[in-house]
Amino acid sequence: MERLLVLRLETVGVAAEASLNGVALARTSAARRAVTVPIHEYTLAGANELALVIEPPPPGLPAAPQALLSDGRRGASLRLLLPRIGQLAHPEYARTLAQIDWAPLEGELTTTPHAIAQTVQLPIAFPRWRYFDMPPPPSPQALVAPIAAWLQGLAAALARGDPEPLVQAARLRFEDLALAYQRNLADDVGRLRLQIQQLHAQAPLQPPLPQPDALLLRPQADGRIFECLDAGGEPVLRSEVAGGGRVAWPLRVAWIDDRCYVVR
């Protein structure tokens, strides 16, 4: 692989969120003003929907419209870039395939959240990823309890230092990532196993058990998949680690034939 498709989101004076094909992939804040993420596993051959939201609500909360008065120094820039491997993923060093810019003049009023979207045609050879054709569940709210129970099983395994339940649950994700980035499937699986085993050996993992009343299933890709978050909008599967740090395993899941699968 010589080139890598990435999204780069940069903001000044505002928070923003970028999504591709209905999946939120990058979010900035006052403390984090630039985010770059690879996007092969979310990209389709042909038409792709690129979107930018200025001052998005916290995940899972309804939008509360507010007026924002520009001081002439607020702005957001979203770029779909194609850098070569080993080069900086920055507009100065990479080819820009699409862009969305928001830069209101001083004194201009904007009602937030403010959404801007465009359709981008990409001449790429990726397959049509399986989750795009999964039917959305008829009652997403009914999934909270069974998915919480499933997540509790993953958390309990991690607390024992056992990576296998998470490895098996994420098999579809591993297969797609190996195809998207031309990587070896066994190597990716091995890295996750080793990470969990090493972290647990340094200090026992202590992931909190996800509870149904605090589990947020954030719909993505038109409700076909759900991002598993806690009440604060953070990945629900996480643990403190040795040295005072924290590790998280972000999960986007699908519900298929009464079973939960990690697809992203």
Side-chain angles (χ1 to χ4, degrees), residues 132-241:
F132 281 111
D133 297 315
M134 293 175 180
S139 177
Q141 190 59 34
L143 300 181
V144 172
I147 291 181
W150 173 79
L151 288 166
Q152 289 170 5
L154 296 184
L158 291 172
R160 301 190 300 269
D162 179 8
E164 292 310 311
L166 181 56
V167 166
Q168 294 305 315
R171 193 73 187 182
L172 293 178
R173 177 179 181 273
F174 281 125
E175 290 175 358
D176 281 355
L177 290 180
L179 181 59
Y181 296 101
Q182 300 176 24
R183 300 198 306 228
N184 183 280
L185 174 62
D187 289 345
D188 283 355
V189 172
R191 276 191 288 270
L192 178 60
R193 283 196 179 107
L194 184 61
Q195 178 207 40
I196 292 171
Q197 291 167 349
Q198 288 182 335
L199 289 173
H200 190 72
Q202 294 167 4
L205 294 172
Q206 296 180 322
L209 289 179
Q211 302 300 326
D213 59 355
L215 174 62
L216 170 61
L217 297 180
R218 186 186 186 192
Q220 305 273 277
D222 295 325
R224 292 179 175 84
I225 61 177
F226 298 92
E227 189 174 11
C228 298
L229 305 173
D230 65 13
E234 297 295 323
V236 71
L237 198 63
R238 64 183 187 275
S239 176
E240 304 298 321
V241 296

Side-chain angles (χ1 to χ4, degrees), residues 50 77-80 96-101 116 118 120:
L50 187 65
S77 171
L78 174 61
R79 297 286 188 275
L80 197 163
T96 297
L97 301 181
Q99 65 186 71
I100 297 177
D101 293 306
I116 312 168
Q118 68 172 250
V120 183

